[in-house]
Amino acid sequence: MEGQTTIQATLAVGAQLERLRNALESEKLPTADIELPDRTFFEFTLGGNIVGWGGFETYGADALLRSLVVERAYRSKGVGTSLLNVLEVKAAELGIIRLHLLTTSASSFFEQMGYESLPRGAAPSLISLTEQFKGLCPGSACYMSKALR
Ligand SMILES: CC(C)(COP(=O)(O)OP(=O)(O)OC[C@H]1O[C@@H](n2cnc3c(N)ncnc32)[C@H](O)[C@@H]1OP(=O)(O)O)[C@@H](O)C(=O)NCCC(=O)NCCS
């Protein structure tokens, strides 16, 4: 991210949420439940340019990290790593102790960020009852989890 400033996070509502929906559709990631309660999404900018989105669904001290998308033009430059770092800080500020996620294609990205692959049965019950676990994500998706410091 040479020569650029820090990542700015804006709570995604209205137009930001619609841009997130479009980005998720482009990546064939779930959108059906993004406006349900307990979801918090952010739109991220860098030097005034929109570079991505991401958020989480909160269930007490546990949250499902989801919908992390980096704009294609900004991939493989460390932006995804920065966005995930920001999301983890925001989650920790909200009292979240452990993040959970499902991914079909980016498990090695999350592994590099300290997420551990686990059997789906190891997920807390509230996480296993989320729309993503119940059906929006394919059964082949890898379940991963990380404790926040
Ligand atoms: C996954 C994603 C967010 C990564 O963003 P990014 O900005 O390219 O990531 P970074 O540049 O910070 O990459 C960090 C490391 O992860 C690796 N990586 C990046 N994307 C990866 C992917 N899809 N699968 C496996 N590894 C990946 C990179 O090789 C890099 O490692 P390296 O620097 O040692 O080579 C981005 O590829 C994306 O938006 N994908 C589509 C949506 C998606 O699958 N989201 C995850 C599901 S929630």
Side-chain angles (χ1 to χ4, degrees):
M1 292 192 291
E2 62 286 345
Q4 295 178 320
T5 55
T6 52
I7 296 281
Q8 302 292 317
T10 306
L11 201 59
V13 290
Q16 294 102 341
L17 211 50
E18 284 316 300
R19 288 193 286 268
L20 166 63
R21 186 189 299 281
N22 291 338
L24 293 173
E25 282 171 357
S26 300
E27 298 300 333
K28 300 191 169 33
L29 290 172
T31 58
D33 63 331
I34 61 173
E35 293 191 69
L36 293 181
D38 304 318
R39 275 79 169 153
T40 306
F41 296 108
F42 299 93
E43 182 172 79
F44 298 99
T45 56
L46 185 60
N49 299 307
I50 297 169
V51 293
W53 300 266
F56 37 79
E57 287 178 46
T58 309
Y59 301 93
D62 290 289
L64 184 70
L65 183 98
R66 55 173 296 179
S67 310
L68 180 65
V69 181
V70 171
E71 281 278 18
R72 284 171 189 258
Y74 289 91
R75 288 189 193 167
S76 300
K77 300 174 195 292
V79 172
T81 302
S82 298
L83 300 196
L84 188 49
N85 281 327
V86 173
L87 283 172
E88 289 180 354
V89 169
K90 292 208 172 278
E93 283 171 358
L94 291 169
I96 293 161
I97 291 172
R98 183 170 279 277
L99 285 173
H100 309 265
L101 63 90
L102 288 169
T103 183
T104 51
S105 61
S107 53
S108 56
F109 165 76
F110 288 107
E111 202 171 77
Q112 286 177 44
M113 295 292 289
Y115 289 77
E116 182 188 7
S117 297
L118 295 167
R120 279 196 187 215
S125 54
L126 285 175
I127 295 294
S128 65
L129 290 171
T130 57
E131 298 297 322
Q132 291 213 348
F133 260 72
K134 284 192 299 181
L136 291 180
C137 280
S140 56
C142 178
Y143 164 57
M144 306 184 84
S145 179
K146 177 182 178 180
L148 300 177
R149 277 173 291 167

